Amino acid sequence: MHDHPDVFTIQGMEPTMPIEATARVSVAASDVWTAISEPGNLVNVHPFCESNPVETWPGPTGRDHVHYFSGVHYQRDVLQWIDGSGYDLIVGPPSKKIAVANWRIDHTGPDACDFSIEVTSYVRSNSDPAKLAAYEANVLRTIGSYLESVVRGVAHFAETGIPVKRNQFGAHQIYSPESNTSR
């Protein structure tokens, strides 16, 4: 991962420990790349995403939005675009970015690859150490399960061509709580 973007330094923020999830995908890496590089791809692969409006996508100037089923809205801006392999994003509410997400495909054979997402959250550098420890524990618990659902969603869509359903791998308290309605 790159050094954190200047925007975090300017805001007096520093990184927490990165959290990563990986899924083995039983298709060629190029099929996974197609699944994650298409405009509006999150509605196919992300079980907590209600809509994925695109400003500019794909490529190094990419920007899109994630509207979660819970009503939370994040903006994703591309920091680095690596054709066929992945991309790095700065994400968070449109008014304040809070994390960097690295989406990567690791070619493991002609019909298999690993797909991973690593997220590094940023917090105020002058945070109280006890509050910071509690925050990091909460992030680890909530973001870990979130990432597991998303990488499983990418694998599911790349392997089957069938978009994921809401909460297909379980609900998420922040982004998509339990609901009796489906997409």
Side-chain angles (χ1 to χ4, degrees):
M1 184 171 136
H2 306 293
D3 290 333
H4 63 275
D6 289 338
V7 66
F8 294 119
T9 302
I10 291 166
Q11 295 176 30
M13 299 175 81
E14 60 186 29
T16 60
M17 184 181 312
I19 301 169
E20 183 176 5
T22 302
R24 173 64 43 98
V25 189
S26 299
V27 297
S30 60
D31 293 338
V32 175
W33 177 247
T34 298
I36 68 166
S37 63
E38 291 289 321
N41 68 75
L42 293 182
V43 296
N44 294 324
V45 303
H46 197 313
F48 310 134
C49 175
E50 184 171 22
S51 67
N52 183 208
V54 172
E55 287 185 35
T56 307
W57 196 274
T61 60
R63 172 182 284 169
D64 67 1
H65 298 264
V66 185
H67 293 274
Y68 295 96
F69 286 107
S70 66
V72 171
H73 169 211
Y74 282 175
Q75 179 176 302
R76 305 187 316 160
D77 292 293
V78 174
L79 293 171
Q80 179 178 4
W81 188 271
I82 310 160
D83 275 323
S85 295
Y87 40 79
D88 299 337
L89 307 165
I90 185 168
V91 299
S95 62
K96 183 179 181 189
K97 302 302 179 257
I98 58 173
V100 171
N102 306 96
W103 291 49
R104 288 294 184 278
I105 301 165
D106 181 26
H107 176 86
T108 59
D111 293 318
C113 63
D114 288 335
F115 173 70
S116 65
I117 302 173
E118 179 185 84
V119 170
T120 303
S121 297
Y122 286 79
V123 297
R124 303 242 8 120
S125 56
N126 61 356
S127 297
D128 172 83
K131 287 182 181 178
L132 182 58
Y135 172 81
E136 285 185 325
N138 186 51
V139 166
L140 182 61
R141 183 177 50 79
T142 61
I143 300 305
S145 65
Y146 171 95
L147 293 178
E148 286 293 332
S149 291
V150 178
V151 297
R152 289 177 68 190
V154 169
H156 169 81
F157 181 72
E159 292 173 349
T160 68
I162 300 168
V164 294
K165 296 181 177 114
R166 179 179 183 175
N167 299 341
Q168 183 162 333
F169 309 106
H172 193 279
Q173 64 185 12
I174 297 168
Y175 300 105
S176 185
E178 287 290 342
S179 172
N180 293 328
T181 61
S182 59
R183 275 192 210 231

